[in-house]
Amino acid sequence: MAYIAGVGNTRYGKVEGSSTLSLASEAAHLAMADAGLGVKDIDGVLTGYSTTLPHIMLATVIAERMGIRPVYAHAMQAGGATGVAMVMLAKLLVDSGQCRAVLALAGENRASGQSRDQSIQTLAQAGHSDFEVPYGATIPAYYGLLAARYMHQFGVTGADLAELAVLMRRHAGTHPDAHLRTPVTLDDVMASKPIALPLRLLDCCPVSDGGVAVVVTREPTGAARVRIRGAGQAHLHQHISCMRDWADCGAAQAAGRAFAEAGMTTKDVDYLAVYDSFTITLAMLLEETGFAPRGGAGAMARDGRFGVAGDLPLNTHGGLLSFGHCGVGGGLAHLVEAQRQLAGKAGARQVKKATTAFIHGDGGVMSSHVSMLLERM
Amino acid sequence: MSATPTTFPAGDDIARAWWNGVADGRIGYQVCADCGAVQFYPRSHCTACGSARCETRASKGAGAIFSITVVHRPPSEALRAHAPYAIALVDLDEGFRMMAHADPGCAIGDRVTAAFIPFGDRVVPRFARA
Ligand SMILES: [Zn+2]
């Protein structure tokens, strides 16, 4: 069995004077303290990539800085899905007996460590360098193409998508570490400036500094007995021009594998942690994984179903759209919040019933999918 | 248009050859000589059967808009003068899909044909209503 024994995060937003290593190690110390473990107890280290510190051996750099001498360590790259992918590998490492306690951590000073243009150009490289990037494409442009087609095909409106942005901002307002906490209305979202139409500024997540860490152990280490029940992946394409079926981008396949391993169905889930780089990302993933009917995610948000008091609370930390996006740590923050909800440690955000959680990370342009199911023992 | 080889950075000879074709007003695509599969973007092997015998053909440049976005926030200062510009996924009649520019007024489902216009460091295909 694999447990999420401890979690930690730094404040998100602009953290002046921070670096990839300072943010990741601060979060790691918080996660180890939460798990009741010290550096001597950690025998596995997994990290993601950092655009502001593109080192060839990031995991051992971080391990050395923290004084950890792991028996297994390396960095991983699956875009925004990297966070959940790291925790899935950590599960495999403890399940197989390779490790007893794996530290999965990520940090990046993405807001303060580079210019906006640098950030936009770096991220655009998720597109094909020869057959997409030369057209002046950006990450919002790839998702703008997804949004236009998805809205056309499934009858989703701009107002449906805006509901999700309003909801994420409302949730972030209750989390002291969130990047964007000022409430926004439906009109604010729909009147915000155009970025890559149909997507507008408030349909897009911000660029943030931040660090997140998780400790995965073979045995529970304290009161927080949150277990990983299943995980699964799917990778059907990298580039949007090679994505064939807008109704099957790989999310359902990844979720199906996780549900099969866990022996569960969507009906057994009572908390959702779903990747939301853009409002369209969240709508597509909720609908393809079966938690909302096609074209129905916005209406469910409007009806309060995804709120803290709803029957399917979703991203109660505010998601990428408002808690913030610092790269790999952005996707890992969803899992941190899910663990806190299941451990009963979500404070003012605590939902009534949280025994099981579904987590989904997406990298690239709906390219890499990793799903996971957690359960409180 | 000129047949001068492109000078912009491109990943390999296959990509450079494709963009040189565009500079001459030609959209290349590949057909597998062994299994007949049509593929885009161009590469050294057929992704359907693994054959290395991929023949390059020139598209007639006619198709339909699959999706379209209008970019108001370009990735670099150099492209700011072009904004807003539209990026589309276009389904060509020969059976392949590609990214290209399009007239911002185009909509999903519109029949379009390709023209070739300067953009950034090169000439790019840009589709307009047929
Ligand atoms: Zn073939």
Side-chain angles (χ1 to χ4, degrees):
Chain A
M1 284 227 229
Y3 294 83
I4 315 272
V7 299
N9 68 272
T10 69
R11 175 169 70 82
Y12 271 41
K14 213 158 192 178
V15 184
E16 293 296 346
S18 65
S19 70
T20 288
L21 297 178
S22 74
L23 292 161
S25 60
E26 182 188 335
H29 281 290
L30 291 167
M32 290 189 301
D34 188 37
L37 299 177
V39 289
K40 299 288 179 281
D41 301 311
I42 303 297
D43 59 359
V45 173
L46 299 172
T47 189
Y49 54 90
S50 165
T51 63
T52 58
L53 182 63
H55 193 282
I56 58 171
M57 297 173 70
L58 204 47
T60 42
V61 169
I62 288 175
E64 178 193 275
R65 179 180 169 116
M66 297 189 63
I68 301 169
R69 293 183 169 178
V71 301
Y72 189 101
H74 61 74
M76 295 171 63
Q77 293 185 312
T82 308
V84 191
M86 290 195 298
V87 178
M88 178 171 176
L89 177 57
K91 171 193 184 293
L92 297 174
L93 287 170
V94 300
D95 279 350
S96 70
Q98 290 287 319
C99 295
R100 279 179 293 107
V102 179
L103 177 64
L105 76 178
E108 199 168 333
N109 54 332
R110 196 171 265 196
S112 64
Q114 60 192 345
S115 72
R116 266 200 81 75
D117 273 5
Q118 273 174 325
S119 175
I120 288 168
Q121 285 193 44
T122 302
L123 299 177
Q125 303 303 319
H128 197 294
S129 60
D130 288 318
F131 298 100
E132 295 182 347
V133 174
Y135 296 106
T138 57
I139 284 275
Y142 306 133
Y143 278 88
L145 287 164
L146 281 174
R149 182 68 200 185
Y150 197 81
M151 290 163 77
H152 172 86
Q153 199 163 327
F154 297 106
V156 174
T157 67
D160 289 329
L161 297 183
E163 288 285 357
L164 298 169
V166 171
L167 174 71
M168 289 301 103
R169 189 61 65 87
R170 188 184 309 136
H171 286 176
T174 65
H175 198 306
D177 297 328
H179 185 170
L180 302 174
R181 297 171 19 162
T182 311
V184 294
T185 66
L186 209 59
D187 288 344
D188 293 335
V189 179
M190 296 181 70
S192 61
K193 69 177 177 183
I195 300 292
L197 288 173
L199 297 180
R200 295 174 175 277
L201 183 66
L202 294 179
D203 288 301
C204 311
C205 65
V207 173
S208 317
D209 298 333
V212 190
V214 166
V215 179
V216 177
T217 58
R218 205 186 300 165
E219 309 289 341
T221 63
R225 302 201 163 201
V226 177
R227 166 199 166 200
I228 302 172
R229 242 179 96 153
Q233 305 192 8
H235 311 265
L236 305 187
H237 69 276
Q238 170 63 24
H239 303 113
I240 186 173
S241 43
C242 295
M243 175 173 161
R244 282 292 163 265
D245 186 350
W246 255 236
D248 172 21
C249 64
Q253 294 181 33
R257 286 170 193 141
F259 277 116
E261 188 185 4
M264 294 167 65
T265 72
T266 53
K267 289 188 172 42
D268 302 317
V269 171
D270 43 40
Y271 180 85
L272 294 175
V274 178
Y275 201 80
D276 60 325
S277 49
F278 298 90
T279 50
I280 183 64
T281 318
L282 186 53
M284 286 180 77
L285 292 175
L286 285 168
E287 293 169 19
E288 188 178 318
T289 55
F291 288 100
R294 284 288 178 192
M300 283 179 69
R302 200 177 294 125
D303 295 342
R305 305 269 314 270
F306 297 134
V308 172
D311 61 319
L312 270 175
L314 165 70
N315 300 349
T316 48
H317 64 310
L320 296 159
L321 284 166
S322 285
F323 190 78
H325 196 341
C326 59
V328 174
L332 191 53
H334 293 75
L335 190 143
V336 164
E337 179 73 354
Q339 193 268 6
R340 285 190 179 129
Q341 287 287 359
L342 266 52
K345 291 181 174 177
R349 308 180 310 280
Q350 185 64 48
V351 305
K352 276 201 307 286
K353 181 175 184 286
T355 307
T356 56
F358 171 80
I359 297 153
H360 190 90
D362 145 48
V365 191
M366 297 295 195
S367 319
S368 283
H369 295 273
V370 188
S371 296
M372 184 171 285
L373 286 152
L374 302 186
E375 174 190 33
R376 186 183 65 214
M377 300 299 282
Chain B
M1 305 246 176
S2 101
T4 313
T6 55
T7 54
F8 53 79
D12 54 28
D13 287 345
I14 296 173
R16 266 188 292 279
W18 189 84
W19 281 104
N20 284 333
V22 168
D24 289 335
R26 198 171 60 246
I27 294 172
Y29 69 101
Q30 292 178 318
V31 180
C32 176
D34 286 315
C35 78
V38 171
Q39 83 182 11
F40 192 87
Y41 50 94
R43 44 207 124 162
S44 61
H45 287 76
C46 169
T47 55
C49 77
S51 166
R53 301 200 308 142
C54 297
E55 293 172 356
T56 298
R57 295 187 192 166
S59 165
K60 289 191 169 68
I65 299 278
F66 179 79
S67 191
I68 184 165
T69 181
V70 180
V71 176
H72 287 254
R73 176 70 163 93
S76 66
E77 191 58 45
L79 295 179
R80 215 145 282 171
H82 293 277
Y85 52 86
I87 293 175
L89 294 174
V90 182
D91 285 336
L92 279 297
D93 291 349
E94 290 85 358
F96 66 97
R97 180 175 299 161
M98 67 181 290
M99 186 176 284
H101 274 199
D103 284 348
C106 287
I108 291 173
D110 281 354
R111 287 289 305 169
V112 288
T113 53
F116 299 87
I117 54 133
F119 179 81
D121 60 6
R122 65 192 76 188
V123 166
V124 302
R126 174 168 157 149
F127 288 83
R129 275 206 196 86

